[in-house]
């Protein structure tokens, strides 16, 4: 499994990438939406994008809109990971084609729970 | 259409403290209890660093500003980058880490009001940004591992050229 982590903050790419690596993803990174589109052109096996909203050059929202125009990327799961917590922003992102929404700050468990819900990692066994 | 952003609802420092506490609990310490509210007169912060984001583009514009000592910022950067306790912190990593902290605080504070607008990119400086004619809404301090950090929210004036 391969994931693309899109955030202009290197420390946030490290944190999100570390969580994804721990659950079995190979991780590639991009610092803005435009760079992310380039990464998707290079890596045709990306299954998940974790996307910050506020970035220079191209925002995460603009990236979602652009990515959803491409048929060959329709199976990629798009998950916003952002400080944008207003209800209208969440609705805009989901309407544009994002599948899930995580508001920073987050714990690893929050990310993993979302991935389980999306069927990208196996659910934890319950006792 | 003119919109009004009700920043004044944040005059009570409790919501801002809650945002900061959530950030430190989830992404810094991994557990609650390390962030304490500071009451009373605040001591001067040695070798201060300032990091801020503005909320612009709708209603009254505002600035969320965090001030902390350089050493505190470096400690936070080491945690976020998973560095050794005494490892040097590159300037770019320092700015990235403390800038992301104010980005998270600013985004969450923004979500507490109506018609807030958009966040700018974080800025980091060892100089206090100009806040000419800005009105303070809240200015609250906490201690983290004994070091003082202050979070303030300012409603900005209408002339962007007077800001830094």
């Amino acid at each position: 499994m391969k994931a693309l982590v899109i955030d202009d903050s290197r420390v946030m790419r490290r944190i999100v990438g570390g969580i994804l690596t721990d659950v079995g993803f190979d991780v590639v990174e991009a610092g803005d939406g435009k760079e992310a589109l380039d990464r998707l052109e290079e890596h045709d096996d990306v299954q998940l994008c974790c996307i910050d909203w506020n970035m220079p050059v191209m925002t995460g929202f603009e990236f979602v809109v652009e990515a959803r125009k491409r048929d060959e990327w329709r199976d990629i799961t798009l998950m916003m990971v952002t400080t944008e917590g207003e209800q209208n922003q969440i609705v805009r992102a989901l309407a544009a084609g994002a599948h899930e929404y995580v508001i920073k700050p987050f714990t690893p468990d929050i990310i993993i729970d979302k991935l389980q819900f999306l069927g990208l990692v196996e659910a934890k066994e319950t006792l | 259409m003119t919109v009004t952003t009700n920043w004044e609802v944040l005059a009570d420092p409790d919501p801002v403290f809650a945002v900061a506490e959530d950030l430190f609990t989830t992404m810094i310490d991994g557990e609650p209890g390390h962030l304490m509210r500071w009451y009373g007169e605040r001591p001067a912060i040695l070798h201060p660093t300032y990091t801020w984001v503005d909320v612009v583009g709708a209603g009254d514009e505002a600035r969320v500003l965090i001030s902390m000592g350089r050493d505190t910022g470096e400690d936070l950067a080491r945690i976020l980058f998973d560095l050794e306790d005494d490892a040097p912190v590159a300037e770019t990593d320092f700015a990235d880490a403390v800038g992301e902290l104010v980005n998270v605080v600013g985004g969450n504070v923004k979500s507490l009001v109506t018609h807030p607008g958009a966040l700018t990119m974080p800025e980091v400086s060892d100089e206090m940004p100009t806040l000419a004619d800005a009105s303070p809404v809240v200015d609250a301090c906490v201690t983290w591992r004994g070091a003082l950090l202050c979070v303030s929210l300012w409603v900005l004036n209408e002339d962007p050229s007077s800001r830094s």
Side-chain angles (χ1 to χ4, degrees):
Chain A
M1 291 189 296
K2 187 175 284 183
L4 173 59
V5 178
I6 311 162
D7 200 306
D8 58 321
S9 168
R10 202 169 72 80
V11 75
M12 200 52 72
R13 294 200 303 271
R14 190 197 75 76
I15 291 168
V16 176
I19 295 168
L20 297 177
T21 301
D22 285 347
V23 294
F25 282 93
D26 294 324
V27 173
V28 290
E29 299 181 358
D32 61 65
K34 186 169 185 306
E35 192 182 328
L37 293 172
D38 293 340
R39 292 290 91 76
L40 286 185
E41 298 279 5
E42 297 162 6
H43 299 270
D44 62 4
D45 54 347
V46 170
Q47 291 176 273
L48 168 71
C49 293
C50 293
I51 312 152
D52 185 25
W53 190 301
N54 294 303
M55 294 180 287
V57 185
M58 178 186 281
T59 68
F61 178 78
E62 292 166 337
F63 166 81
V64 170
V65 171
E66 289 303 310
R68 280 294 169 247
K69 292 177 181 174
R70 299 279 294 268
D71 281 348
E72 66 271 32
W73 296 341
R74 66 178 177 274
D75 292 333
I76 299 174
T77 299
L78 305 181
M79 183 163 76
M80 303 300 293
V81 183
T82 173
T83 63
E84 292 285 341
E86 295 111 79
Q87 191 67 27
N88 68 323
Q89 297 290 70
I90 296 170
V91 170
R92 278 181 72 203
L94 297 176
H99 296 87
E100 263 297 350
Y101 205 100
V102 174
I103 299 170
K104 299 174 185 173
F106 52 80
T107 61
D109 282 347
I110 291 173
I111 299 279
I112 292 166
D113 285 349
K114 297 285 188 185
L115 297 176
Q116 289 170 345
F117 176 76
L118 292 164
L120 291 169
V121 299
E122 286 184 20
K124 284 179 258 185
E125 287 185 18
T126 53
L127 295 174
Chain B
M1 185 179 75
T2 302
V3 296
T4 302
T5 311
N6 57 337
W7 293 110
E8 289 70 23
V9 300
L10 296 172
D12 177 347
D14 285 354
V16 174
F17 179 72
V19 167
E21 190 172 42
D22 192 25
L23 168 62
F24 276 73
T25 297
T26 54
M27 301 192 74
I28 303 293
D29 299 310
E31 60 183 13
H34 295 273
L35 207 65
M36 304 292 176
R37 289 179 76 153
W38 178 269
Y39 295 99
E41 193 173 335
R42 68 183 66 169
I45 295 175
L46 296 177
H47 309 294
T49 287
Y50 303 93
T51 181
W52 65 95
V53 289
D54 291 347
V55 185
V56 300
D60 299 320
E61 300 187 343
R63 174 167 294 169
V64 177
L65 172 69
I66 298 178
S67 49
M68 69 185 88
R70 171 79 193 196
D71 288 349
T72 306
E74 291 188 354
D75 286 344
L76 291 166
R78 288 188 189 97
I79 289 172
L80 287 167
F81 278 107
D82 198 21
L83 302 174
E84 296 292 330
D85 287 350
D86 55 352
V89 178
E91 196 60 37
T92 51
D93 290 347
F94 179 83
D96 188 316
V98 299
E100 187 60 18
L101 293 180
V102 79
N103 183 48
V104 173
V105 173
N108 281 270
V109 165
K110 180 168 87 77
S111 71
L112 297 174
V113 300
T114 54
H115 309 302
L119 280 186
T120 59
M121 292 296 122
E123 298 201 47
V124 180
S125 175
D126 56 6
E127 299 284 338
M128 174 84 167
T130 303
L131 287 161
D133 301 328
S135 306
V137 176
V138 66
D139 187 5
C141 293
V142 295
T143 59
W144 174 72
R145 300 186 183 182
L148 196 69
L149 295 90
C150 295
V151 182
S152 57
L153 171 67
W154 303 75
V155 174
L156 300 174
N157 62 38
E158 295 180 356
D159 179 9
S161 65
S162 66
R163 305 171 197 162
S164 65

